[in-house]
Amino acid sequence: MKNFYSCDLNDNNEMKMWDDFLESHPSCTPFHLSCWLKTIRDTYHLRDYLLMQKDRSGDCLSILPIFCVPKPLGLHKRYISIPFSDYGGLLSRNDGCTGSLIEKVFNELMHRRKTIEIRGGTVDKVPFKIFNYYKKHTMNLEPDLDSIKKNIEKRTILRSIRKAEEAGVIIEVRNDYQALS
């Protein structure tokens, strides 16, 4: 039997289990981490639905972070796996867990709203309509700083960089998991 849980972002034990699962998952993004989810919730005052599926021994099998996001002009709200990000949908140890967690989400949330967005391309084996609205933007950061500045939009980006430098923003380059917490 698989058990479904709604996790509380304020519960340190639950968030440790959440983040521990992510640390071992190959498709984890920074947008899945509890610290990012707390930032989204607290900054935009959104209601979160953090779903976790566990096996009989209590080990995490899959997770799905969802937020209830109001549409502009007071229109209906919608559920989004992680707003303000193109990445960060459902993560699962196997396809069987993916389907059962999506079914749980559908049964619990769909009667409240008409739209559920699950981002990240992780749900290709479920009967949802797929939309590819999002774009990925990349920039090669290998050349020196002057070369990079020549290739970016001058007015807004460079102004933002100058403001950050004046404010004393410190940039660290790190490649370890602890840098995200």
Side-chain angles (χ1 to χ4, degrees):
M1 178 177 179
K2 294 174 183 156
N3 298 305
F4 299 96
Y5 296 91
S6 182
C7 296
D8 180 356
L9 269 171
N10 296 319
D11 185 315
N12 291 335
N13 292 328
E14 288 181 0
M15 290 303 98
K16 179 168 180 2
M17 178 181 274
W18 182 280
D19 288 337
D20 287 348
F21 171 78
L22 295 174
E23 189 171 357
S24 65
H25 199 285
S27 298
C28 171
T29 71
F31 307 113
H32 286 97
L33 296 171
S34 62
C35 58
W36 180 264
L37 301 175
K38 286 177 188 176
T39 301
I40 293 295
R41 179 199 62 191
D42 295 346
T43 301
Y44 299 102
H45 309 287
L46 301 176
R47 178 167 165 92
D48 60 275
Y49 298 92
L50 307 183
L51 302 173
M52 179 185 291
Q53 183 178 8
K54 298 180 187 178
D55 64 15
R56 289 182 185 173
S57 65
D59 292 331
C60 182
L61 295 172
S62 57
I63 57 125
L64 178 60
I66 296 178
F67 289 87
C68 185
V69 179
K71 280 189 158 185
L73 305 174
L75 299 173
H76 294 286
K77 295 178 181 179
R78 59 194 166 144
Y79 292 105
I80 301 176
S81 60
I82 300 184
F84 315 107
S85 168
D86 295 345
Y87 302 98
L90 183 140
L91 293 179
S92 182
R93 296 231 185 268
N94 62 55
D95 289 341
C97 296
T98 300
S100 56
L101 187 56
I102 291 295
E103 184 178 342
K104 174 78 171 168
V105 169
F106 185 80
N107 289 337
E108 293 219 355
L109 300 180
M110 201 56 178
H111 69 280
R112 298 183 201 172
R113 304 286 177 252
K114 296 187 183 207
T115 304
I116 300 174
E117 288 183 33
I118 301 177
R119 298 179 177 179
T122 57
V123 291
D124 56 346
K125 294 181 170 66
V126 295
F128 287 139
K129 193 176 204 178
I130 305 294
F131 294 99
N132 293 312
Y133 291 141
Y134 303 98
K135 305 222 181 293
K136 179 179 178 181
H137 303 278
T138 60
M139 177 184 285
N140 182 0
L141 298 177
E142 293 299 321
D144 61 287
L145 186 57
D146 289 331
S147 298
I148 293 170
K149 286 182 178 179
K150 287 179 188 175
N151 292 318
I152 59 178
E153 197 273 305
K154 302 290 187 251
R155 293 181 311 163
T156 56
I157 302 298
L158 292 179
R159 185 175 343 121
S160 297
I161 291 171
R162 272 194 306 279
K163 284 177 70 175
E165 289 171 342
E166 290 168 3
V169 172
I170 298 170
I171 298 173
E172 290 183 38
V173 177
R174 293 184 52 185
N175 295 318
D176 58 296
Y177 181 79
Q178 287 74 27
L180 298 173
S181 56

